[in-house]
Amino acid sequence: MSHLQLIPEQASTFALKVDLLFYGLLALSVFFFGAVTLMVAFLSIRYRKGSNVDRGPMDHSIAKKLELTWTIVPTILALAFFGWSAYVFYDFTVIPEGSMDVLVTGKQWMWKVQHPNGKREINHLHVPVNTPVRLTMTSEDVIHSFFIPVFRLKRDVLPNRYTTMGFTATKPGTYHLFCAEYCGTEHSKMIGKVIVMEEGEYEKWLADGTATTPAVPAASGGEQLFMRMGCANCHNSVNTARGPQLSGLFGKEVSLTNGEKIVADENYIRESIVNPQSKLVVGYPPLMPTFKNQMKEEDLYVLVDYIKSLEAAGASSAQRGNAS
Ligand code: CUA
């Protein structure tokens, strides 16, 4: 970009909402800065030493009105801006149903991206325009932060946990992607490109396996992993004494041996694979070994995705279509 640009362009549905809030806050600050500055200047000139003005006792009825005004008006303004910000933040956290799922893994010092069909890329994120996308993010080492300025999106990427972020890109183009959390020596090189493509082009790009590492089909890969890692030995409908049933588990409440109840979400399933003893389900012995360091985050994600897709009682996993 040749011209000086103070604010990056808006390339997602979310960007305008953030900018409006930003300009709103800016306008409010400028207004009060101006009002206070002008008042200070005016009063210091009017009441300068030797000026001929009334310095008698003040009128308390006016003072009271003034006090009330500058208490009530700013309170209402502050609450209004709180409500507005809360609305924008809520909008940031809610991810539309049916979004396209992409896995982002941070690692010193690169971004790894995995698309729904298993296609992988490094330091690049290709997405279709006008399509809701959900990023599930995790880190293989330290805390990173995934930042796409033109989308006005930034969220921490943590080890041993998933964080999510959703967006709908509105403008095809190539944009900056940054790590926004100091993560070691080459943090400043942990950058990349977000490429927003027309939908047809994205489909073509996705189907073309030559550009990057060969695609591993995520959908069928999950079942293979489930068998290969031996999950099915204990988590099946026959041997129910050894491990809890996984079919229909996702989104249900689970009772733990420590008395707590927890909703089985992606983070719970992931943790139960890498650290099975941390949240034991009531009625099952602590038999399961850890799968920590035995699987890459990408595979772990595929496995979690597969377990998510297992439907309750009897419904076969073959019913599963492409990535959910
Ligand atoms: Cu990763 Cu800074």
Side-chain angles (χ1 to χ4, degrees):
M1 257 157 265
S2 55
H3 57 287
L4 176 70
Q5 201 176 18
L6 288 179
I7 290 196
E9 54 187 308
Q10 299 166 344
S12 77
T13 50
F14 187 57
L16 180 67
K17 295 177 191 169
V18 174
D19 286 3
L20 284 178
L21 178 62
F22 172 75
Y23 287 124
L25 281 165
L26 185 66
L28 186 76
S29 310
V30 167
F31 172 77
F32 278 104
F33 173 76
V36 170
T37 312
L38 284 177
M39 219 46 197
V40 167
F42 169 73
L43 293 175
S44 53
I45 292 167
R46 183 175 159 87
Y47 291 96
R48 69 190 183 279
K49 191 176 175 188
S51 68
N52 183 24
V53 283
D54 176 18
R55 290 168 205 269
M58 70 176 171
D59 180 345
H60 281 277
S61 66
I62 293 179
K64 193 173 177 185
K65 277 183 197 146
L66 272 177
E67 291 270 6
L68 281 173
T69 309
W70 69 50
T71 306
I72 292 169
V73 172
T75 304
I76 291 171
L77 280 174
L79 285 175
F81 272 86
F82 169 77
W84 187 0
S85 317
Y87 161 75
V88 173
F89 182 73
Y90 177 77
D91 197 58
F92 169 73
T93 55
V94 171
I95 295 169
E97 282 289 320
S99 297
M100 189 186 108
D101 267 304
V102 174
L103 175 73
V104 170
T105 312
K107 171 184 178 174
Q108 284 170 323
W109 290 276
M110 63 171 84
W111 293 110
K112 300 193 289 181
V113 171
Q114 179 168 292
H115 289 265
N117 74 343
K119 182 161 179 166
R120 293 175 184 177
E121 52 183 340
I122 285 176
N123 292 340
H124 285 78
L125 170 61
H126 288 75
V127 288
V129 74
N130 297 329
T131 308
V133 175
R134 181 172 101 132
L135 303 179
T136 300
M137 310 184 293
T138 188
S139 164
E140 287 183 8
D141 36 49
V142 299
I143 298 176
H144 304 276
S145 180
F146 200 71
F147 180 31
I148 308 170
V150 290
F151 294 171
R152 306 293 187 276
L153 285 183
K154 176 164 69 178
R155 189 150 205 195
D156 277 10
V157 175
L158 309 165
N160 299 317
R161 195 177 323 177
Y162 291 131
T163 50
T164 53
M165 200 156 74
F167 62 84
T168 303
T170 51
K171 239 193 233 177
T174 301
Y175 308 107
H176 287 299
L177 156 67
F178 297 111
C179 177
E181 178 86 45
Y182 181 70
C183 55
T185 321
E186 289 178 29
H187 155 72
S188 62
K189 291 186 188 163
M190 197 168 163
I191 55 178
K193 294 265 184 276
V194 177
I195 299 114
V196 178
M197 310 170 96
E198 297 291 352
E199 220 163 320
E201 276 178 59
Y202 173 77
E203 295 302 333
K204 245 193 267 168
W205 175 86
L206 199 61
D208 176 16
T210 56
T212 46
T213 45
V216 182
S220 63
E223 192 169 4
Q224 283 169 20
L225 270 170
F226 194 77
M227 296 300 168
R228 199 173 78 218
M229 303 308 286
C231 313
N233 294 343
C234 301
H235 297 285
N236 56 37
S237 48
V238 186
N239 226 338
T240 47
R242 292 165 68 104
Q245 276 280 298
L246 301 182
S247 302
L249 169 71
F250 186 71
K252 286 244 183 66
E253 204 176 59
V254 178
S255 299
L256 306 177
T257 46
N258 64 7
E260 278 179 36
K261 283 184 193 299
I262 191 170
V263 172
D265 58 5
E266 287 98 338
N267 270 316
Y268 167 75
I269 296 173
R270 187 193 171 285
E271 185 183 24
S272 297
I273 298 169
V274 294
N275 192 6
Q277 314 299 329
S278 75
K279 292 194 175 72
L280 286 166
V281 175
V282 166
Y284 292 95
L287 287 175
M288 182 168 158
T290 173
F291 285 82
K292 201 174 183 170
N293 303 328
Q294 294 192 33
M295 299 171 85
K296 290 199 293 191
E297 282 297 340
E298 286 88 345
D299 290 339
L300 202 47
Y301 173 76
V302 169
L303 189 56
V304 169
D305 204 37
Y306 172 71
I307 291 170
K308 257 171 79 175
S309 77
L310 293 173
E311 302 194 358
S316 96
S317 58
Q319 286 180 349
R320 182 172 146 75
N322 280 335
S324 53

